[in-house]
Amino acid sequence: MEVDLHVTNRCNLKCNHCVYSSGEQIMPDITLETVKKLIPSFKKMDVKEVHITGGEPLLNQEIFGIVFELQKNGFLVRIQTNGILITNETAKKLKSNGADHILISMDGLENFHNNFRNNENSYNFAVNAVKTCLKNGLFTRVNTVVSRGNVSEVKSIMQTTKDLNVHQHSFFYFTPFGRGKNIKDSMFSLGEWKQIKDKIVQDAQEMNYLNRIRIQDVFHENDVDYSNSNICREDNCLILANGEVYHCVFFANSPYSLGNIYKEDIFNIWSGCSDLVNSIISKNSDKKCDNNLCGGGCSGMAYCLSGNILSCDPRCNPKNNIISNCIRKYKN
């Protein structure tokens, strides 16, 4: 199981696509003491990975202690960062405290990345962060969110990360959630994403780079009884900095909180939420869709795009055998 731990909602950027709308809602940072209290329950939940997110996680003044405590207790620790605060000293501390993977966002070539993140120096910060993390022996992954604004640059971005010699480069499907709602027309249909995914694979093969590429696999393409399938991942939860627990990032700041870690133990929250997850967040036969051919698709995207968690994911196209999948699944 993986936990996404949102250790702060503070950020030093204001990115156009931020799913958390970081910086707009004031939340207290998650403290080291809180993390220590969570660890016994994480073990009972069989958590293997903790993905530290924000906001910008490095703004949390206890980040090194949080990383150390998690890795000391056997969890694989990944940190998502925009790279601005990555210095040689910071990278050394992350390494010495047990960070396993550093995930640095690069959403295009320089002009697009800077405009998308509303900071004229953010691209250079990201590139320097990649170089610094690699120099200090950290497993370094670049994350790229693909939208209509940067799709033409994807091959060039791959060439850049190949030249940097990153360990992995992941491509993500843009979702109009959080601040991304303001640019919802940047989202692709699932059919378009299929073509983009195929092109990324083709380009990566030609560049002898496919072994380092991961692509969000947001749709099914095979014969499945979708009406009875469970599309949602059941081994992933999100804990926001304010303590609210959600099954998926698409429900962050929604009425569908499963509980709050400051009011109840996370193990009790998670083990007691199965009925809610199975009846609403997971697939069920009551969802309204075209002859129930897709089982309703992704509940999170249905909620994101229509405001109704029980509606069919409007991106689904069952007649052409393209059915939405969990946003947290990947190819390669």
Side-chain angles (χ1 to χ4, degrees):
M1 179 170 178
E2 176 187 319
V3 170
D4 292 338
L5 190 61
H6 180 258
V7 296
T8 182
N9 201 44
R10 295 182 295 130
C11 197
N12 44 18
L13 291 179
K14 193 172 182 178
C15 304
N16 294 343
H17 63 318
C18 180
V19 294
Y20 299 110
S21 299
S22 293
E24 295 180 23
Q25 182 180 356
I26 297 174
M27 299 181 187
D29 289 358
I30 285 183
T31 66
L32 174 58
E33 189 61 32
T34 296
V35 171
K36 288 180 178 180
K37 291 177 180 177
L38 288 170
I39 284 173
S41 293
F42 283 177
K43 290 182 178 180
K44 288 197 290 183
M45 293 162 63
D46 198 29
V47 172
K48 303 298 185 186
E49 300 183 18
V50 179
H51 184 171
I52 297 178
T53 70
E56 172 49 54
L58 297 180
L59 286 171
N60 186 314
Q61 294 185 354
E62 295 185 296
I63 188 63
F64 301 113
I66 289 171
V67 170
F68 179 78
E69 197 67 28
L70 289 168
Q71 69 83 26
K72 182 180 74 173
N73 281 277
F75 303 107
L76 186 147
V77 181
R78 303 174 189 263
I79 303 175
Q80 171 73 53
T81 176
N82 58 38
I84 289 179
L85 297 177
I86 295 285
T87 63
N88 198 55
E89 180 183 3
T90 301
K92 284 181 178 179
K93 284 186 178 181
L94 289 172
K95 176 71 174 178
S96 64
N97 281 280
D100 293 284
H101 292 185
I102 305 298
L103 284 46
I104 299 170
S105 299
M106 289 180 61
D107 288 316
L109 301 178
E110 186 168 3
N111 287 340
F112 180 86
H113 181 94
N114 288 344
N115 290 332
F116 205 52
R117 294 183 173 267
N118 293 293
N119 182 300
E120 64 182 6
N121 297 309
S122 58
Y123 179 83
N124 286 333
F125 278 122
V127 171
N128 288 334
V130 169
K131 293 177 179 178
T132 302
C133 288
L134 288 170
K135 183 179 70 174
N136 283 279
L138 288 157
F139 184 99
T140 306
R141 182 177 108 188
V142 165
N143 287 347
T144 299
V145 175
V146 184
S147 65
R148 294 193 187 279
N150 68 347
V151 65
S152 64
E153 299 182 355
V154 166
K155 187 173 183 179
S156 297
I157 301 167
M158 273 199 289
Q159 186 61 58
T160 298
T161 60
K162 182 181 181 185
D163 292 343
L164 288 168
N165 199 28
V166 301
H167 294 99
Q168 195 173 78
H169 189 170
S170 293
F171 291 93
F172 294 83
Y173 174 87
F174 167 76
T175 53
F177 189 70
R179 267 199 296 272
K181 289 181 178 179
N182 298 323
I183 52 171
K184 62 183 180 181
D185 290 342
S186 293
M187 184 182 72
F188 297 104
S189 70
L190 295 183
E192 289 173 318
W193 185 248
K194 178 184 183 303
Q195 295 177 344
I196 291 165
K197 187 174 71 169
D198 290 346
K199 183 66 164 58
I200 292 173
V201 169
Q202 178 185 340
D203 288 342
Q205 286 175 328
E206 292 174 357
M207 296 165 64
N208 195 27
Y209 195 43
L210 187 59
N211 64 325
R212 301 196 185 191
I213 297 296
R214 295 176 85 226
I215 310 168
Q216 232 171 7
D217 201 15
V218 296
F219 62 89
H220 289 287
E221 246 193 316
N222 54 351
D223 293 329
V224 175
D225 182 2
Y226 299 110
S227 63
N228 294 314
S229 65
N230 185 0
I231 288 173
C232 293
R233 273 184 64 176
E234 296 177 337
D235 62 345
N236 174 249
C237 79
L238 164 69
I239 302 174
L240 282 188
N242 61 9
E244 294 295 317
V245 180
Y246 298 92
H247 178 65
C248 171
V249 66
F250 286 129
F251 301 107
N253 300 312
S254 79
Y256 297 105
S257 170
L258 305 177
N260 191 294
I261 62 169
Y262 297 117
K263 298 177 182 178
E264 187 178 1
D265 184 88
I266 180 62
F267 177 79
N268 294 333
I269 292 171
W270 191 249
S271 59
C273 76
S274 58
D275 288 344
L276 174 63
V277 171
N278 288 332
S279 65
I280 297 179
I281 299 176
S282 296
K283 301 300 97 185
N284 65 71
S285 59
D286 295 329
K287 294 206 170 194
K288 300 182 189 297
C289 57
D290 186 6
N291 297 320
N292 202 30
L293 292 172
C294 70
C298 172
S299 296
M301 286 300 291
Y303 176 70
C304 175
L305 297 174
S306 71
N308 182 1
I309 197 172
L310 291 176
S311 70
C312 181
D313 182 343
R315 301 170 306 151
C316 285
N317 188 350
K319 291 180 179 177
N320 290 326
N321 202 30
I322 297 179
I323 310 299
S324 67
N325 197 1
C326 176
I327 202 77
R328 299 300 302 274
K329 294 183 179 178
Y330 303 90
K331 181 180 180 63
N332 295 350

